[in-house]
């Protein structure tokens, strides 16, 4: 232990092997970040202002939008600085803070998407009992526990990672302080970390995905039994939006955390990191607003009201 030098900062060198792309990546990520802030803020505002959207589905959707704003704000601003800076460094404390926030919010989203699938299952498979099943106490508790589970997992994994010796190796070959990239710098046994990460991946990725899959089997069966063509269309529209978000998020997360080890996946890891860290949060409000009639009607109502006030 006496030969270990303390690490006070890390250098993030992800995609730095492509200097000609740094400006393009900066502009692209900045535009996507602005879309994320605008789109998700608009969705939260709409769900608060329109009383017709005061339902469990939109409560969870508002949580998801708030989560995406916080998640991207923990990494994208720092990433933008890195793209334009020659000294691509971040302090030890800053790295730990970035990791605990991004990992916590990512874990929370895994649970929250499963909760949203259960909400759709209850609404479509048990429409008459839905107000009783998804009462306010239950859906608020479900959202709270999603956040608690995500935060506990994040704190545990971050603390167990940051107390390990880095032996002076402080170059992270990634765009952010991602836990997998950081563990590669550790010069001691990480078997406990790998075990906990594997268990967490199964509990927070595989199990929720299986629950979503089972929920949608029952949902699809119920939709096909709906006699009204309009009713089937509305059910398919609502569920397809959620299912699209699930595929985008879980697909990239499973590829990142559950794939076999390979020394030839560095660039793909960084691109996948951009996918679930930037692209998916940007697409979430677009998918839900474009595929949801109620959201579009709420937007029109709010805009027409404000335009009327401006004319007066």
């Amino acid at each position: 232990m006496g030969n270990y030098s303390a690490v006070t900062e890390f250098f993030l060198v992800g995609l730095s092997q492509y200097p000609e792309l740094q400006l393009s990546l900066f502009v692209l990520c900045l535009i996507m970040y602005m879309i994320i802030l605008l789109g998700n803020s608009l969705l939260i505002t709409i769900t608060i202002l329109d009383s017709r959207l005061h339902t469990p589905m939109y409560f969870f959707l508002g949580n998801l939008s708030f989560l995406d704003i916080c998640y991207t704000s923990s990494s994208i601003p720092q990433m933008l600085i890195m793209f334009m800076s020659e000294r691509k460094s971040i302090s030890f404390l800053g790295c730990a803070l970035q990791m605990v926030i991004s990992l916590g919010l990512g874990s929370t989203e895994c649970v929250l998407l499963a909760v949203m699938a259960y909400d759709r299952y209850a609404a479509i498979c048990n429409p008459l009992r839905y107000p009783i099943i998804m009462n306010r106490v239950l859906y608020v508790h479900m959202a709270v526990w999603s956040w608690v589970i995500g935060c506990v997992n994040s704190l545990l994994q971050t603390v167990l990672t940051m107390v390990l010796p880095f032996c002076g190796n402080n170059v992270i070959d990634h765009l952010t302080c991602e836990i997998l990239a950081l563990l590669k710098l550790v010069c001691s046994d990480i078997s406990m970390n790998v075990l906990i990460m594997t268990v967490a991946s199964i509990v927070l990725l595989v199990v929720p995905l299986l629950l979503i899959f089972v929920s949608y089997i029952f949902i699809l069966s119920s939709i096909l039994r709906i006699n009204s063509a309009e009713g089937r269309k509305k059910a398919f529209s609502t569920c397809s939006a959620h299912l699209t978000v699930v595929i985008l998020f879980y697909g990239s997360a499973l590829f990142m955390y559950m794939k076999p080890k390979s020394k030839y996946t560095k660039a793909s890891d960084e691109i996948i990191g951009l996918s679930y860290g930037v692209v998916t949060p940007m697409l979430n409000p677009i998918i839900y607003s474009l595929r949801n009639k109620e959201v579009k009607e709420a937007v029109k109502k709010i805009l027409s009201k404000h335009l009327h006030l401006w004319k007066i």
Side-chain angles (χ1 to χ4, degrees):
M1 293 293 291
N3 293 328
Y4 296 162
S5 57
V7 171
T8 58
E9 65 178 353
F10 292 99
F11 291 91
L12 299 166
V13 296
L15 296 178
S16 59
Q17 66 271 35
Y18 306 108
E20 67 281 359
L21 295 179
Q22 298 298 299
L23 180 59
S24 300
L25 287 170
F26 173 85
V27 174
L28 182 62
C29 288
L30 178 60
I31 292 172
M32 289 193 290
Y33 183 50
M34 298 307 294
I35 294 173
I36 289 167
L37 294 180
L38 180 62
N40 285 291
S41 298
L42 181 62
L43 208 50
I44 293 171
T45 304
I46 291 168
T47 56
I48 292 173
L49 293 180
D50 197 314
S51 58
R52 295 174 301 174
L53 302 183
H54 293 174
T55 63
M57 173 184 169
Y58 293 103
F59 175 76
F60 292 133
L61 188 54
N63 270 263
L64 183 64
S65 293
F66 177 71
L67 186 151
D68 283 338
I69 290 174
C70 297
Y71 179 73
T72 53
S73 296
S74 71
S75 57
I76 295 182
Q78 181 70 36
M79 197 185 300
L80 294 174
I81 294 172
M82 296 301 174
F83 284 141
M84 301 307 294
S85 173
E86 292 185 5
R87 182 178 172 81
K88 304 177 185 294
S89 64
I90 183 172
S91 68
F92 184 91
L93 183 60
C95 187
L97 187 61
Q98 186 183 84
M99 184 192 299
V100 74
I101 293 174
S102 60
L103 185 58
L105 295 176
S107 302
T108 301
E109 184 160 350
C110 291
V111 182
L112 192 60
L113 288 174
V115 167
M116 291 173 73
Y118 174 76
D119 172 66
R120 292 299 83 209
Y121 160 77
I124 294 172
C125 298
N126 298 282
L128 298 179
R129 297 180 61 237
Y130 176 68
I132 300 173
I133 296 172
M134 291 300 292
N135 58 75
R136 182 175 178 82
V137 174
L138 178 62
Y139 70 73
V140 169
H141 274 78
M142 292 172 77
V144 169
W145 276 107
S146 298
W147 286 87
V148 170
I149 292 170
C151 291
V152 169
N153 170 63
S154 174
L155 282 170
L156 176 64
Q157 293 205 52
T158 301
V159 170
L160 290 178
T161 299
M162 301 309 286
V163 297
L164 294 171
F166 293 97
C167 309
N169 190 358
N170 62 347
V171 179
I172 302 175
D173 204 356
H174 206 273
L175 292 166
T176 61
C177 288
E178 209 276 332
I179 188 168
L180 289 175
L182 206 63
L183 283 174
K184 293 177 182 178
L185 308 183
V186 175
C187 56
S188 65
D189 182 31
I190 60 169
S191 55
M192 179 59 70
N193 300 76
V194 173
L195 176 62
I196 292 174
M197 188 181 298
T198 303
V199 172
S201 297
I202 294 172
V203 173
L204 296 175
L205 282 175
V206 178
V207 173
L209 190 58
L210 288 175
L211 292 175
I212 292 170
F213 179 72
V214 172
S215 297
Y216 272 97
I217 291 176
F218 287 106
I219 288 170
L220 183 60
S221 175
S222 297
I223 289 175
L224 294 176
R225 292 199 299 267
I226 297 175
N227 295 324
S228 167
E230 182 64 27
R232 286 197 301 271
K233 182 179 178 181
K234 181 178 180 181
F236 268 122
S237 175
T238 302
C239 293
S240 63
H242 177 254
L243 202 54
T244 303
V245 172
V246 166
I247 292 170
L248 287 171
F249 180 80
Y250 277 99
S252 55
L254 283 170
F255 180 86
M256 190 76 177
Y257 289 98
M258 301 295 287
K259 71 180 189 306
K261 290 182 179 180
S262 173
K263 63 181 179 180
Y264 301 109
T265 58
K266 186 177 74 69
S268 65
D269 283 353
E270 292 164 1
I271 294 171
I272 291 297
L274 278 176
S275 173
Y276 74 78
V278 183
V279 178
T280 303
M282 179 190 70
L283 293 178
N284 282 352
I286 297 174
I287 292 169
Y288 278 109
S289 59
L290 292 180
R291 301 298 300 273
N292 195 306
K293 184 179 178 181
E294 292 173 329
V295 172
K296 288 188 282 188
E297 288 178 351
V299 172
K300 291 178 182 177
K301 179 183 174 182
I302 292 171
L303 288 176
S304 62
K305 180 180 178 180
H306 283 280
L307 287 173
H308 178 71
L309 290 174
W310 287 340
K311 287 179 181 179
I312 294 175

